[in-house]
């Protein structure tokens, strides 16, 4: 996979097959949240519970950006109708 140095596989729980193109299912399952809005929100909360202070969300289907983010708002406890902070 691009951006994941293959020689780092020796210090992680992933083997060379997991980190070289096209990548292994174990690595993808570990770093990509997919499924229902509640399932994705649960994965994001797991990252925070594990110590993350920031969790990035990238919607793969760019033509569905707003609907997907709106669907995630409720399970994450965010008010999708609230104006952005500072406004």
């Amino acid at each position: 996979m691009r951006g994941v140095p293959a020689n780092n596989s020796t210090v992680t729980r992933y083997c060379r097959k997991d980190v070289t193109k096209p990548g292994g299912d174990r690595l993808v399952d570990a770093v990509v949240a997919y499924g229902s809005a509640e399932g994705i929100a649960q994965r994001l909360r797991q990252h925070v519970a594990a110590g993350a202070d920031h969790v990035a969300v990238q919607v793969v289907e760019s033509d569905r950006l707003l609907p997907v983010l709106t669907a995630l708002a409720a399970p994450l406890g965010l008010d999708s109708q609230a104006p952005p902070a500072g406004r």
Side-chain angles (χ1 to χ4, degrees):
M1 290 184 97
R2 192 172 184 195
V4 180
N7 60 355
N8 277 355
S9 64
T10 58
V11 295
T12 68
R13 60 187 173 134
Y14 303 104
C15 66
R16 183 170 296 280
K17 183 178 108 180
D18 290 324
V19 297
T20 54
K21 202 172 188 177
D25 289 345
R26 286 184 340 119
L27 178 61
V28 172
D29 288 343
V31 299
V32 177
Y34 53 89
S36 68
E38 181 55 47
I40 293 169
Q42 181 178 357
R43 288 287 308 277
L44 297 175
R45 288 190 295 269
Q46 288 171 350
H47 286 288
V48 172
D53 58 4
H54 290 78
V55 180
V57 176
Q58 179 177 356
V59 177
V60 176
E61 298 175 66
S62 61
D63 60 325
R64 298 197 57 230
L65 178 65
L66 290 179
V68 170
L69 292 178
T70 301
L72 283 173
L76 290 171
L78 304 172
D79 182 355
S80 63
Q81 300 302 312
R87 297 212 172 155

